[in-house]
């Protein structure tokens, strides 16, 4: 398996600094599955090519287990696959991370690069290959290989020799290869766990969120494991910011600062708790619980017997956990509460079996096209008897002295609705899923623009 990277940046031999591998030497590295060799077939001022030759040891693969036939009839030693990604991460880690001691600026600079992969398995064919690389700006050329030259009737194989050409920083090229090679191959040689989400988000930083094939990339990268895929997608969709969680934290503070003078949060919590009690809801799931504002109050109140908080943001759940820890609850009290990481736009059995679901200042964080998925997850599948949804009333925004996010109360809000927009949506949802809905203002009501927060109380 061979990957070559060529540049015509001048002087081209600076590629050696970027890769941290001297052009005059051939270097070999032992990996768990074989060996990686790096050498330069060509190194002049005008043009420099680095080659990564991966020598996957078929005997080691067999020792790793697998079904009998697959062990011996395997393309793994000969094609670009997740083995190559691992080799890139281990042997070229500094370059992949965009670091370069000697030429730090060059590491960030777009330079003309051509990557050539022989041989790349493309499940989904040339079309899918193009769908992955062309939106990132690459010119793609692909030469298909027949299944067997002696038997042309057998047709084409899924193997291609591929050339990718683009002007970009080397670390971007390596990140694209790192993520997209296993995606094309649609297989991974190792067990895929939660940490793969972190790798995907890290190496997909800056390009994956806006990639038109991001859903397919994520699904295949995570080996089609539904739980991992939906968590990763929700995090991608949730924010374009790579440091998602700390951004979320500071945004939450911003919003709180806007609303603080009227202690709107407290009024919201009071209204929600009153409505829960009125519905006699003792088992409550708080969807998009954030840092646990509502959970804390529910826990302090002996009326509530089972309290679950769900959020897609792991960091938010950590903060919620710390805040609940500070309540110094007894063991019995603790048994009433649980926190789970989950996405509200994917059906989830864990959301079922509650008297009530609360969705407090959350819907405006969902992309409008995803709102339909959320409606089904909650009203069609989870089906709590009562649902409380609160959201800002945009009409009231003229009353705030200053809004840091411009017209909206929070940078991450995808929309804010007028009273009639919210009521139209809620009435439509109630009708579609067999609920009734009533509306309640939260916070001081202004005769013209209404109250700062609006709440829909849905009953089944
Ligand atoms: N209900 C809380 C937090 C509101 S902020 C409160 O009133 O304080 C919105 C929260 O929704 C954030 O914590 C965010 O991580 C979460 N969220 C946004 N989109 C989500 C999704 N698709 N799935 C799960 N949680 C989501």
């Amino acid at each position: 398996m061979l990957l070559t990277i060529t540049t015509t940046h001048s002087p081209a031999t600076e590629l050696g600094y970027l890769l941290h591998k001297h052009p005059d030497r051939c270097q070999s590295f032992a990996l768990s599955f074989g060996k990686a060799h790096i050498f330069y077939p060509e190194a002049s001022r005008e043009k420099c090519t680095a080659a990564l030759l991966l020598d996957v040891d078929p005997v080691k693969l067999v020792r790793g287990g697998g079904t009998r036939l697959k062990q011996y009839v395997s393309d793994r030693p000969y094609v670009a696959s997740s083995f190559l990604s691992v080799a890139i991460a281990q042997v070229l880690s500094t370059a992949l991370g965009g670091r370069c001691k000697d030429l730090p600026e060059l590491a960030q600079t777009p330079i003309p690069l051509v990557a050539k992969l022989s041989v790349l398995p493309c499940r989904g064919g040339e079309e899918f290959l193009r769908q992955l690389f062309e939106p990132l700006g690459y010119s793609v050329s692909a030469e298909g290989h027949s299944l067997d030259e002696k038997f042309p009737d057998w047709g084409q194989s899924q193997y291609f020799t591929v050339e990718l050409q683009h002007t970009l920083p080397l670390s971007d090229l390596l990140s694209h290869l790192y993520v997209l090679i296993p995606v094309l191959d649609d297989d991974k040689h190792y067990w895929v766990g939660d940490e793969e989400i972190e790798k995907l988000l890290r190496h997909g930083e800056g390009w994956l969120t806006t990639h038109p094939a991001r859903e397919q990339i994520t699904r295949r990268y995570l080996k089609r494991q539904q739980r991992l895929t939906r968590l990763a997608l929700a995090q991608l969709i949730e924010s374009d910011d790579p440091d998602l969680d700390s951004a979320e934290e500071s945004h939450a503070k911003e919003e709180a600062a806007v609303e603080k003078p009227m202690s709107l949060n407290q009024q919201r919590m009071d209204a929600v708790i009153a409505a829960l009690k009125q519905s006699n809801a003792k088992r409550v799931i708080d969807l998009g619980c954030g840092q646990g504002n509502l959970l804390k109050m529910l826990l302090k109140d002996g009326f509530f017997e089972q309290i679950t908080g769900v959020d897609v943001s792991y960091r938010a759940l950590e903060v919620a956990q710390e805040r609940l820890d500070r309540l110094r609850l007894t063991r019995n009290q603790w048994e009433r509460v649980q926190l789970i990481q989950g996405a509200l736009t994917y059906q989830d059995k864990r959301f079922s079996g509650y008297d009530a679901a609360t969705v407090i200042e959350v819907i405006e964080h969902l992309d409008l096209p995803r709102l339909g998925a959320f409606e089904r997850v909650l009203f069609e599948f989870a089906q709590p008897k009562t649902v409380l949804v609160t959201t800002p009333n945009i009409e009231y925004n003229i009353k705030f002295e200053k809004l840091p996010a411009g017209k909206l109360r929070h940078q991450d809000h995808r929309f804010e609705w007028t009273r009639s927009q919210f009521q139209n949506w809620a009435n439509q949802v109630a009708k579609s899923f067999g609920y009734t809905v009533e509306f309640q203002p939260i916070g001081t009501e202004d005769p013209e623009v209404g109250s700062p927060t609006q709440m829909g109380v849905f009953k089944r």
Side-chain angles (χ1 to χ4, degrees), residues 124-347:
E126 185 176 336
E127 198 187 328
F128 187 52
L129 169 75
R130 291 185 182 280
Q131 281 169 17
L132 292 186
F133 284 96
E134 285 177 350
L136 297 168
Y138 289 90
S139 327
V140 177
S141 82
E143 184 200 335
H145 297 289
S146 53
L147 265 177
D148 191 320
E149 285 160 6
K150 294 199 197 95
F151 300 94
D153 293 354
W154 291 2
Q156 288 299 108
S157 72
Q158 61 198 353
Y159 300 108
F160 291 81
T161 296
V162 173
E163 216 174 80
L164 304 163
Q165 197 172 343
H166 194 4
T167 299
L168 76 176
L170 177 65
S171 60
D172 286 4
L173 169 70
L174 293 175
S175 300
H176 297 153
L177 294 176
Y178 177 93
V179 171
L180 297 178
I181 287 171
V183 165
L184 276 163
D185 181 33
D186 206 10
D187 193 5
K188 278 203 176 160
H189 68 279
Y190 52 87
W191 167 247
V192 169
D194 285 32
E195 65 283 5
E196 287 302 296
I197 297 182
E198 190 272 323
K199 285 191 207 158
L200 176 65
L201 296 179
R202 181 151 46 91
H203 295 296
E205 189 184 320
W207 61 272
L208 185 54
T209 319
T210 50
H211 196 296
R214 72 178 173 195
E215 304 219 357
Q216 270 167 300
I217 294 173
T218 306
R219 200 175 322 118
R220 282 189 177 205
Y221 187 89
L222 297 170
K223 260 188 154 174
R224 301 177 192 271
Q225 288 192 50
Q226 276 187 19
R227 185 183 67 83
L228 296 180
T229 304
R230 66 185 178 214
L231 278 176
L233 277 176
Q235 292 192 45
L236 275 177
I237 292 165
E238 165 62 358
S239 168
D240 305 355
D241 192 319
D243 191 1
L244 165 81
D245 291 321
S246 58
E248 181 59 50
E249 220 171 317
S250 69
H251 293 168
K253 282 192 194 134
E254 233 167 52
E255 187 176 23
V258 172
E259 295 183 341
K260 186 162 187 184
M262 54 175 74
S263 70
L264 187 54
N265 186 50
Q266 190 56 46
Q267 294 179 49
R268 205 153 40 217
M269 297 297 139
D270 291 345
V272 168
I273 288 175
L276 286 173
K277 288 189 172 168
Q278 233 168 32
S279 319
N280 198 31
K282 291 181 178 288
R283 291 169 304 150
V284 178
I285 184 161
D286 187 24
L287 299 172
C289 63
Q291 303 180 357
N293 283 332
L294 180 64
L295 299 177
K296 217 168 95 179
M297 309 213 26
L298 296 178
L299 251 178
K300 283 195 209 156
D301 191 326
F303 177 85
F304 300 101
E305 291 168 4
Q306 191 188 342
I307 303 154
T308 298
V310 180
D311 206 284
V312 71
S313 159
Y314 190 74
R315 176 72 195 134
L317 291 174
E318 273 182 342
V319 176
Q321 181 74 56
E322 281 162 23
R323 294 176 70 200
L324 298 181
D325 282 345
R326 271 187 243 132
L327 294 179
R328 302 190 180 282
L329 301 172
T330 63
R331 217 171 125 190
N332 281 350
Q333 284 174 308
W334 263 123
E335 280 168 1
R336 294 151 62 217
V337 68
Q338 62 167 333
L339 298 178
I340 53 187
Q341 192 182 18
L344 305 184
T345 43
Y346 293 87
Q347 191 181 341

Side-chain angles (χ1 to χ4, degrees), residues 67-140:
T67 57
R68 286 215 150 214
L69 184 64
K70 227 176 148 186
Q71 283 171 12
Y72 292 100
V73 187
S74 165
D75 63 358
R76 298 295 90 184
Y78 316 108
V79 303
S81 68
S82 53
F83 289 113
L84 180 61
S85 297
V86 172
I88 290 176
Q90 295 193 350
V91 178
L92 303 176
S93 63
T94 332
L96 175 65
R99 297 182 302 277
C100 179
K101 203 163 54 344
D102 298 302
L103 300 169
E105 260 170 44
L106 188 62
Q108 310 298 326
T109 308
I111 55 173
L113 291 167
V114 179
K116 190 168 174 185
L117 286 150
S118 49
V119 175
L120 183 61
C122 302
R123 273 161 250 256
E126 185 176 336
E127 198 187 328
F128 187 52
L129 169 75
R130 291 185 182 280
Q131 281 169 17
L132 292 186
F133 284 96
E134 285 177 350
L136 297 168
Y138 289 90
S139 327
V140 177

Side-chain angles (χ1 to χ4, degrees), residues 34-65:
K35 275 192 178 154
H37 308 279
I38 298 209
F39 56 95
Y40 291 76
E42 179 172 17
S44 69
R45 270 187 77 81
E46 293 71 42
K47 196 171 174 202
C48 183
T49 298
L52 169 61
L53 176 72
L54 204 58
D55 188 8
V56 177
D57 182 348
V59 178
K60 279 192 177 159
L61 291 190
V62 174
R63 284 202 203 112

